[in-house]
Structure formats: C-alpha cells, structure tokens
Amino acid sequence: MLNTLFFPLLFSMGAGSYAYLRFHDRRPRALLVMTLFQLLGAYGYSTQPDLPLFALLAVHATIVFFLLLNHLQAPVLATESQSRQR
C-alpha cells in the first residue's frame, strides 16, 4: 500500500504547500484537497497497516495541521464590495 500512496501523498504535500503559500485566495481549496488526500491515506492504512505508511501519514498530517492552524490564525481580508458599502 505504501507503493501506491507514496507519490500521491508526496504530491499533496508539495503541491498543496505551494498552492497554500503562493495563492492566498486558493488556501481553503488547497487545505480541503490535502485533507482529502489524508483521508485516502487513512483508508489505505486501515486496509493494510504498515509502519512506513503510518510515518508518511504522520508527516502529511503534521503539514496539514500546521497549514490549517496558520490559515485559522490569519486575518480575513475585507472584500471590495464591503468597502464600497461604507
């Protein structure tokens, strides 16, 4: 199962982190996709438990956790329509 999930989880960590850091408007979607990849990996681990797969999922979950924590702490920018109403 590790052979099947290694590259998708690696791609999720790399591309998801890049999209999160580079495109501020796409942060919620990037976090959602990374969370869905985490769930896919969790399903793979539940069907065939293996220590290296667990370690890879732990690294992936740590990255998703810290990006989500950063996203929740970031201030929300005011939209253009709200500033015109004032």
Side-chain angles (χ1 to χ4, degrees):
M1 190 57 69
L2 176 66
N3 294 337
T4 306
L5 292 175
F6 179 74
F7 286 115
L9 288 173
L10 190 65
F11 174 78
S12 172
M13 287 186 282
S17 298
Y18 175 77
Y20 179 85
L21 296 173
R22 179 85 170 127
F23 307 108
H24 296 289
D25 56 331
R26 297 182 191 173
R27 282 184 174 183
R29 289 186 199 146
L31 288 171
L32 177 65
V33 169
M34 290 178 75
T35 304
L36 292 176
F37 271 103
Q38 183 71 29
L39 291 175
L40 177 70
Y43 173 74
Y45 181 76
S46 69
T47 59
Q48 199 173 27
D50 193 17
L51 187 59
L53 179 59
F54 180 75
L56 181 63
L57 285 171
V59 170
H60 190 274
T62 304
I63 290 172
V64 171
F65 174 74
F66 282 114
L67 290 178
L68 182 62
L69 191 64
N70 184 16
H71 177 69
L72 292 176
Q73 290 180 349
V76 178
L77 298 175
T79 60
E80 189 175 325
S81 63
Q82 290 176 348
S83 62
R84 286 185 183 175
Q85 291 175 354
R86 292 182 181 179

